[in-house]
Structures are given as structure tokens and as C-alpha cells.
Amino acid sequence: MSRRLSAVLAHAERQRGGGQDCLPTDAGFTPGGGRDGLVTRPVCAIGGTPGTDSPHPVCLTGETFDDSAPFFVDWLTVSQEHTQGGLPVVDAGAVWCVDEDGEVEWKTTKAVKHEGSWETSLAIKCDGFRVSLAGNVGRFGRRDNVFGFGLVECLRRANEVLAFYGLPPFTAGQQWHRITKGRVVSSWTGARISRIDLTANYEAGSHDNALAVLGYLATQHKGKQRGRTVPQGTTVDWGRGSRRQYWKAYVKATELLHHTPDRVELIDHCQAVGLVRFEGTVRSNALSDLGAAYLGDYQRGWAMAQLIRLFNESSEILTRAERATDDLDALPRPLRATARDYLAGMDVRHVLSRRTFYRHRKELLPFGIDLAVANVMPFKPRVQVVELRPAQQPDWYQLAA
């Protein structure tokens, strides 16, 4: 917690006459109904700027939570309910569904397409109560997003777009607690994230090495999901179509050649360093399970820590072969025989007992060999070792739009 936030919390508590270590709280009705809970109002929330009478919400800033992470953010889908209503209505019309008798079965409004430079856009919608924004905020208004921004900066940019339509910014809101069946359930009244894309770049050393990494990843499992190579051959993904998480790795230079072929200097740089991009889409259910769906949880420090843990666990597949050996003879004898048979194209499931198969698979994974995936590569007596390291942003690259 920053010094400023600590001082603000202490000041607010002194104003209420509470103890030094207590958050300012009010007993009363919870949003869930019933006088069985405790409403906790963090200072940096909807109530206005601490120490002033300003009615304006306080935007989430870098001073309210730690934004340091091994990734930057691309896509964001965020929404916030304002129960008091009275907000400007922002939409691009509506879609209706009626039955054969002309009765309306359902109606949904269409989001406004807020366009920026370089053919970028965000979807904005408000019905007077609920504000929502969706799109690649990190890319918005920029020529490319090879390197991007953290969550704090993306939220600041999103709030700038909301202000253009006279809408209030996304804020943490108020935390509330309710006792249900003997346990405390907590939530927030502020903004909720229902999708966030986490992205990082890695250098393989050369374009050929980057392609070799993708070939290796295509033979690896991520959890129960097998790596799948998309038709162009420079992208491998895991969990396509999942409602929880979807991860992929691809050669960035190839993607730039397809979308921005005029960025010669940038493309040459990505090819020279062998830039491999690793991206993950984390959706609403997964965010809820992580406790990372509400902006308020980021103020507490919990949510960002969970996203970092998830990203580190998911990106482990990139460094799984760090212990790879140059010679199969360095493997333990039982593993050596299994590895040679596998690399020769044999389906070792048919020659090992079920128990031995899974034990050997577990022990060979650190060496970059996954027995659960059929080997379609020619036998190589030596294993190629490619060291991936976090990519460095070149001095001439500009993050600003």
C-alpha cells in the first residue's frame, strides 16, 4: 500500500473516530438486501476525493494499486452499474426480437463504435444506468501494439473515452459484505472486468529459432489442452473456444508482415531478435474464480497477484525445456530408452504400462518431451536448445500514439 493511500485511510478513520488499523465502515443494508452485513467504503471509491466535497468519482490510478507485472494488457471488457441513473444514453440503435403475434421477446442495444486513428476502435454503450466498454484499449489510437501498457494506463485511456461521451469513469466503488449460510461473502459495487488479455514478448535470438520454438510448442500440452497449430504454421494455441481461458503463442514478425507491411524497421527488429508473442485471454468465470473481476480487488493487491500467478503458470510452457540436454545419454537410463523410442516415432503407450507411461511423461516434461503428444518430427539424436528471454523494447520504439 502506498504512503499516500495509507495516510488517506488513516485520515478517514480519524474522521469517523475509529481505530488506527480499521477501515472506515458503516453498518447498514447491503446491496444484496437485509440488515445482515457490513458495508465497507474504501476511501478511493465512488464517494469523491478524500478530504474534499467533490461529488466526482475518483479514477483508479497507479497510486491505488501495484501495476507491476510481467505482462501488458491488450483487450479489456469493463462495465459498471450506476444505480442512481441519469447518465447519458449512448448506443447505436437496438435489435428487437418479436414473436409471431408481434410481442417483443427481447431487445438489446447496439454499442457505439468509437473510432480512433490507424483503424482502431472501441465499443461503448450506456442505457442510463450501466456503462460498458470493450476493445483493444492497449492498441487504440496506435499504429501497432508490439509493446504496450499496464492495466492502470489502459484504464486511464478507457476513462478518457468515457469522458468524451459525458460518462463517469470506471471506479472501484464500495465493498460490501454479507453473511450467507454462516460465511462472509464480499463483493464490490464498482467496475467489473469480464475479459482481459495478458501479453508478453520473448526473444528467441533469430527468426529461425522463433520458428523452432513454435514447432516445439506444438508438441506440448498446457494442462489437459494439447497445442494446436493454426493453418499458417506460425501460431500455436491452447483452449480455443473456451469460456474461461485461451492462450496462444506466435511469431510477431509474421503477424506484422500481414497487418502492417510498411513497418519495415519494426519487422526487421522482430525478425532479428526472433520475437515470440505469448497472449492469454482470461474471461469472466476465470476472473471470478481468481478474485480478480472487480477493480476494488486490485486496490487490495490481491487481484493483480492472482493474474501474475496465472500468467507465470501459463507461460511456464515456454521455459519447460530450460533443463533440456544436448545429449540423450545424459538422461537416466529408463528415461533414455523411452525418449529414444518416442523421438524415433514409436507410440510408447503400447510398450509401457499405464503407470510407467505417466511416470515417464512427468519426468520427461522438464526436458521438453511430452509423451502424450504424437511425435511427427524426424528423429534427432541431439536436442536443440533455444533460450527464450523477455524482450527488450528498442530505444526508438514509441509507446505514445
Side-chain angles (χ1 to χ4, degrees), residues 77-81 130 170-171 187-195 284-285 287-289 292-295:
T77 299
V78 192
S79 62
Q80 183 166 349
E81 297 282 350
R130 185 175 188 270
F170 293 127
T171 58
S187 187
W188 294 80
T189 62
R192 179 184 176 93
I193 299 175
S194 54
R195 173 182 168 181
S284 183
N285 289 342
L287 288 169
S288 295
D289 291 346
Y294 291 97
L295 293 194

Side-chain angles (χ1 to χ4, degrees), residues 167-189:
L167 298 173
F170 293 127
T171 58
Q174 302 171 346
Q175 187 179 28
W176 58 274
H177 305 275
R178 181 176 59 193
I179 299 176
T180 303
K181 296 181 179 179
R183 67 186 187 95
V184 177
V185 178
S186 63
S187 187
W188 294 80
T189 62

Side-chain angles (χ1 to χ4, degrees), residues 352-372:
L352 299 176
S353 68
R354 177 182 176 85
R355 183 176 179 179
T356 302
F357 172 83
Y358 284 105
R359 187 177 75 253
H360 282 198
R361 177 179 182 263
K362 180 179 179 180
E363 293 174 352
L364 284 170
L365 277 175
F367 296 94
I369 298 175
D370 189 348
L371 299 181

Side-chain angles (χ1 to χ4, degrees), residues 97-260:
C97 177
V98 297
D99 60 21
E100 58 185 7
D101 297 322
E103 296 293 330
V104 177
E105 292 186 343
W106 52 263
K107 170 191 173 183
T108 182
T109 55
K110 297 170 60 180
V112 169
K113 184 179 181 181
H114 181 78
E115 297 185 344
S117 55
W118 306 108
E119 299 182 349
T120 59
S121 64
L122 299 173
I124 315 295
K125 186 165 61 172
C126 178
D127 60 3
F129 293 87
R130 185 175 188 270
V131 179
S132 64
L133 177 146
N136 193 331
V137 181
R139 169 78 166 82
F140 181 73
R142 301 174 60 209
R143 201 172 179 185
D144 65 79
N145 65 335
V146 175
F147 297 91
F149 306 105
L151 179 57
V152 168
E153 176 62 17
C154 286
L155 287 171
R156 187 191 68 78
R157 288 171 170 252
N159 285 340
E160 282 185 350
V161 175
L162 296 184
F164 177 82
Y165 294 94
L167 298 173
F170 293 127
T171 58
Q174 302 171 346
Q175 187 179 28
W176 58 274
H177 305 275
R178 181 176 59 193
I179 299 176
T180 303
K181 296 181 179 179
R183 67 186 187 95
V184 177
V185 178
S186 63
S187 187
W188 294 80
T189 62
R192 179 184 176 93
I193 299 175
S194 54
R195 173 182 168 181
I196 184 170
D197 286 12
L198 313 177
T199 304
N201 297 322
Y202 298 87
E203 295 178 1
S206 70
H207 186 64
D208 287 342
N209 281 354
L211 294 176
V213 168
L214 267 292
Y216 158 75
L217 292 176
T219 69
Q220 298 298 297
H221 274 204
K222 183 185 173 299
K224 296 181 179 180
Q225 299 166 340
R226 176 182 174 180
R228 187 181 71 96
T229 305
V230 299
Q232 60 266 38
T234 56
T235 300
V236 177
D237 61 18
W238 300 266
R240 178 180 290 271
S242 171
R243 295 184 179 182
R244 300 180 62 83
Q245 299 178 40
Y246 165 59
W247 298 86
K248 64 181 178 180
Y250 58 94
V251 177
K252 190 62 179 179
T254 304
E255 190 253 357
L256 288 173
L257 279 169
H258 179 70
H259 294 288
T260 54

